[in-house]
């Protein structure tokens, strides 16, 4: 990093602590702007990395760049996300203490991309083997899956994470990544049923419609046009220029297979089911009762009539017992439908995270946590979601300042330097305002949701005013002065966050906090044939009479657990900044950046860091860099490092107030002191070059050169001896290759085995029909056959796991056909490639007491007589056995209309009429139909 200090006039300083005017926000932003214009998007504040989204591809993320930062100390090279990644990794290995990287910033600032870069760095640079490489792939491939189901296009960002994510990357004692685990927070479920104009629902819906093939969409009863679905039409934004839904669909499907996911059909049925739910429309009867007016496929694996009943009626309970069923009005039915859609999608998302965790799970000794979570949000209309998001950022800011102060104080104490008290804004007062028991905003909201009688958003606002009136960080229209009232609605309350003022509209707070499904809707979903949904909706949940926690309280509790996790780890920080709202490269909006600098707490962090000293380095690093500036330390210092540094700075004329010497580091208070030293080094470099080439130094250079050449020659001679010995062993082994394994041939025979296995690894059969296998040397024939058998068994097992139930049924039929007809029937080979369709055979019979039945055998050739009309005195037994033998139970049709149509020659149709009469007979009727008269007993036999 010091190597770029001389370019500070052009590109600014690489560490904000070196700003002369560190209290000036304008100087801070100017330094950011200057570096951004030079495509230098990373800058430090001490150990904190500030990242500005460039909105374009930069050539700074190659594998060569990764190697450049690998194993390099933090300040030895320019700021980069790879530097934070590598230093965190090495700190975990050396200290054996868990680490975490906290990534924050507003939507569109590049948080998710930063998280991807860190994961990619570990996947490429960490030691690994084939098994761990596969696990690394699963770790990386979890990103596109989570983005598809948890990200959406918003007004600020085309790929906005609408949930918070904390991921633990797990390492073994050698530093090999061996697993992972993901925690997700506050998925924005309301987006499933409503989007603002210009925004979209979650990506997966559009990916399915644009990327799914015609057969899949037909199976799911879907059409490609998003406007046909109410849950996708509200934002009126089916296409986005920066998003290719069709390609993203392929990426997600591939990612699911890499993760080991085998339940795509059930998952996609749920996604389509949510879209169909949104298209359910309701009508209202004369007495206010609600009924469904549309016919639509739901595909949630539930009984249609039961779902209809649950969407239009509500079960009421008293004292734990069900007492009556109450019809829902139109608004309640619409709310019930939307609540079901949100619950189905939200629980499916949690299930998906759980499945990813199962694919990544493995025991580990250390972890590096990655927190990619929503940044502080101030929108034109701020609702319940923004309230939760900003509360989360208050807690993270509190943690950030606390941990930053603590780490600074610990470093000073370790070095034996007195700590000076730092003045900063403690936002605990705001956190307490939101989360305090009994009198915090969340507690008041819960109380309003639980109290009997008429509850609502406005009564919640009134209770806030009664309880929190007079709090310095809480304002409403009623409590505000005249000037503030003019810009505040009567339905809003204002919180004075650490990052600025935010007005929250209370509309929807109570409903979103309740976030409850009607009990009868839960009962219906518990009985779903879809295994994912039956897993997500537990039967115990229906039986449990205890009311679940409210949404805000659940979020608060999960946030507390997250804080505990982060407090137990050594933190590193990445602060992401969005340079403009238009997503344009090269554009730097100072007003927007200033706002983010404020709410990310960057100036406060800088003040904490600069409270004592701007620059600190280990004695060795400082002495090594600046030793040419003092005759006593150049070219080498042979005493104690602390004495060498003391000698050097005395020669440079440092004043006592400019520096302090710790136990292992020098602390320089003012950047100007460091810059003066750096400028002196630049001026000294030409003189150092001349000195190195003159007088006795020339002799020294010759000695060094000769010593180096001698060492290289000795190394070369050693390699030649080892190569000659290796060749001798190989030749001798070849000569004795047919002898028993021993000292003469062990190397050669081991090499033959190794070469065969290496070749085999590259040429393994890829599927069960691939019969190729490398010819083995004689000494490994037996092992080769055994490996061949194991590999074939493994391929068969993998193939069987992927076989869907419908295809399995088809294969069973093909095997039975082979056993009966192979080599016995000339037409058999033609049937092998054709699917056996259940629709080719059907049985019809009347509901009367006759023995007639029709076997339908449809064919494409209309000239053939396709259907067979039969009569039997044991028709029930015969049809039952036929149906069971052919698995056609569900194709038996009982005709209650007293007539059966059947196919006859040349595409014509025959009709059998069934009537009751005094005696049993079969005859030709007057209309040319076949008439079957069934004996009429008069009374049913008992």
């Amino acid at each position: 990093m010091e190597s770029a200090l001389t370019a500070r006039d052009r590109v600014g300083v690489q560490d904000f602590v070196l700003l002369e005017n560190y209290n000036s926000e304008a100087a801070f932003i100017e330094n950011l702007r200057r570096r951004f214009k030079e495509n230098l998007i990373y800058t430090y504040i001490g150990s904190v990395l500030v990242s500005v989204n460039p909105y374009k591809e930069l050539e700074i993320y190659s594998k060569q760049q990764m190697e450049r930062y690998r194993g390099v100390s933090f300040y030895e090279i320019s700021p980069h996300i790879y530097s934070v990644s590598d230093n965190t990794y090495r700190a975990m290995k050396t200290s054996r203490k868990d680490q975490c990287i906290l990534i924050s910033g507003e939507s569109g600032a590049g948080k998710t991309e930063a998280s991807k870069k860190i994961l990619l760095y570990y996947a490429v640079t960490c030691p690994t083997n084939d098994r761990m490489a596969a696990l690394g792939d699963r770790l990386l491939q979890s990103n596109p899956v989570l983005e598809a189901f948890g990200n959406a296009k918003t007004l600020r960002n085309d790929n906005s994470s609408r949930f918070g994510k904390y991921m633990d990357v797990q390492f073994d004692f050698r530093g090999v990544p061996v697993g992972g685990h993901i925690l997700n927070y506050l998925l924005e479920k309301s987006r499933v049923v409503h989007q603002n104009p210009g925004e979209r629902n979650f990506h997966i819906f559009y990916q399915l419609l644009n990327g799914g093939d015609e057969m899949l969409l037909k199976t799911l009863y879907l059409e490609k046009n998003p406007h046909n679905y109410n849950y996708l039409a509200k934002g009126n934004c089916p296409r986005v220029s920066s998003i290719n839904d069709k390609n993203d669909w392929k990426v997600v499907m591939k990612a699911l297979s890499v993760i080991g996911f085998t339940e795509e059909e059930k998952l996609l049925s749920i996604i389509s089911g949510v879209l169909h739910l949104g298209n359910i429309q309701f009508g209202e009867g004369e007495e206010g009762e609600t009924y469904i007016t549309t016919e639509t496929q739901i595909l949630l694996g539930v009984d249609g009539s039961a779902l209809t009943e649950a969407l239009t009626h509500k079960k009421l309970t008293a004292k734990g017992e069900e007492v009556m069923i109450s019809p829902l009005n139109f608004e309640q039915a619409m709310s019930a439908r939307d609540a079901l859609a949100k619950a189905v999608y939200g629980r499916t998302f949690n299930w998906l995270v759980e499945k990813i965790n199962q694919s990544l799970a493995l025991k580990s000794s250390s972890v590096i946590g990655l927190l990619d979570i929503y940044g502080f949000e101030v929108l034109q209309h701020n609702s319940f979601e923004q309230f939760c998001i900003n509360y989360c950022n208050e807690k993270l800011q509190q943690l950030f300042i606390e941990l930053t102060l603590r780490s600074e104080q610990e470093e000073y104490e370790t070095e034996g330097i007195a700590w000076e008290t730092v003045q900063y804004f403690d936002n605990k007062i705001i956190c307490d305002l939101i989360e305090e028991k009994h009198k915090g905003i969340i507690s008041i909201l819960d109380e309003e949701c639980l109290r009997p009688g008429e509850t609502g958003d406005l009564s919640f606002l009134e209770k806030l005013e009664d309880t929190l009136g007079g709090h310095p960080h809480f304002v409403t229209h009623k409590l505000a002065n005249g000037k503030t009232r003019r810009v505040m609605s009567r339905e809003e309350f204002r919180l004075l966050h650490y990052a600025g003022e935010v007005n929250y509209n209370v509309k929807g707070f109570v409903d979103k906090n309740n976030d409850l499904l009607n009990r009868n809707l839960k009962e219906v979903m518990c009985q779903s044939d879809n295994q994912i949904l039956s897993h997500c909706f537990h039967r115990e949940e229906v039986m449990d009479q205890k009311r679940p926690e409210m949404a805000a309280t659940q979020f608060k509790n999960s946030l507390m657990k997250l804080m505990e996790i982060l407090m137990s780890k050594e933190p590193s920080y990445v602060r992401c900044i969005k340079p403009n709202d238009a997503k344009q490269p090269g554009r730097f909006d100072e007003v927007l950046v200033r706002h983010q600098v404020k709410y990310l707490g960057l100036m406060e962090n800088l003040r904490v860091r600069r409270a004592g000293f701007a620059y600190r380095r280990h004695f060795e690093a400082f002495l090594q860099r600046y030793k040419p500036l003092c005759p006593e330390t150049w070219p080498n210092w042979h005493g104690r490092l602390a004495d060498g540094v003391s000698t050097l700075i005395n020669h440079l004329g440092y004043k006592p107030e400019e520096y302090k010497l710790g136990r292992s580091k020098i602390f320089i208070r003012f950047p100007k002191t460091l810059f003066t030293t750096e400028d002196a080094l630049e001026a000294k470099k030409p003189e150092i070059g001349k000195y190195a080439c003159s007088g006795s130094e020339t002799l020294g250079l010759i000695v060094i050169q000769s010593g180096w050449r001698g060492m290289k020659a000795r190394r070369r001679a050693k390699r030649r001896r080892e190569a000659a010995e290796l060749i001798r062993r190989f030749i001798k082994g070849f000569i004795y290759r047919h002898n028993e394994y021993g000292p003469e041939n062990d190397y050669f025979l081991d090499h033959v085995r190794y070469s065969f296995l290496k070749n085999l690894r590259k040429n393994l059969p890829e599927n069960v029909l691939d019969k190729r296998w490398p010819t083995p040397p004689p000494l490994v024939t037996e092992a080769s056959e055994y490996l061949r058998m194991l590999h074939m068994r493994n391929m068969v097992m993998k193939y069987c796991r992927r076989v869907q139930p419908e295809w399995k049924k088809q294969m069973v039929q093909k095997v039975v056909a082979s056993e009966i007809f192979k080599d016995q029937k000339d037409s058999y080979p033609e049937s092998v490639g054709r699917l056996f369709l259940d629709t080719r055979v059907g049985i019809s019979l009347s509901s009367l007491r006759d023995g007639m039945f029709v076997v339908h055998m449809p064919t494409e050739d209309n000239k053939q007589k396709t259907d067979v009309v039969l009569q039997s005195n044991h028709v029930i037994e015969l049809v039952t056995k036929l149906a069971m033998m052919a698995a056609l139970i569900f194709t038996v049709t009982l005709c209650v209309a007293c007539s059966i149509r059947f196919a006859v020659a040349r595409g014509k149709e025959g009709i059998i009429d069934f009537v009751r009469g005094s005696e049993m007979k079969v005859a030709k009727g007057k209309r040319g139909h076949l008439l079957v008269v069934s004996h009429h007993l008069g009374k049913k036999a008992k």
Side-chain angles (χ1 to χ4, degrees), residues 153 158 198-200 203 237-245:
K153 192 267 182 192
D158 291 348
E199 297 192 345
R200 300 209 308 178
H203 293 323
C237 186
R239 299 279 187 274
V240 182
S241 60
S242 63
I243 297 176
N244 189 322
D245 293 311

Side-chain angles (χ1 to χ4, degrees), residues 658-671:
E658 291 181 317
Y659 75 96
K660 290 280 187 187
L661 294 182
R663 295 189 175 96
S664 64
K665 293 180 179 180
I666 177 174
F667 291 74
I668 298 177
R669 189 177 297 276
F670 308 116

Side-chain angles (χ1 to χ4, degrees), residues 131-143:
R131 180 163 152 269
M132 296 310 158
L135 188 138
D137 284 343
R138 292 200 294 273
L139 203 61
L140 291 173
Q141 293 300 329
S142 67
N143 268 320

Side-chain angles (χ1 to χ4, degrees), residues 788-801:
R788 186 175 190 170
M789 180 192 70
L790 287 177
H791 184 65
M792 178 57 71
R793 185 181 297 172
N794 187 44
M795 286 194 298
V796 169
M797 183 173 64
K798 286 182 178 179
Y799 179 80
C800 291
R801 283 177 179 171

Side-chain angles (χ1 to χ4, degrees), residues 275-286:
L275 291 179
H276 292 308
L277 266 179
N279 280 5
I280 291 179
Q281 299 296 320
F282 299 95
E284 200 165 20
E286 294 179 359

Side-chain angles (χ1 to χ4, degrees), residues 461 464 474-476 488 492-495 502-504 506 509:
L461 182 59
L464 285 180
F474 177 84
V475 181
T476 66
M488 278 192 74
E492 290 181 336
F493 67 90
R494 175 180 293 179
L495 293 186
V502 184
N503 291 350
Y504 299 100
V506 295
F509 263 63

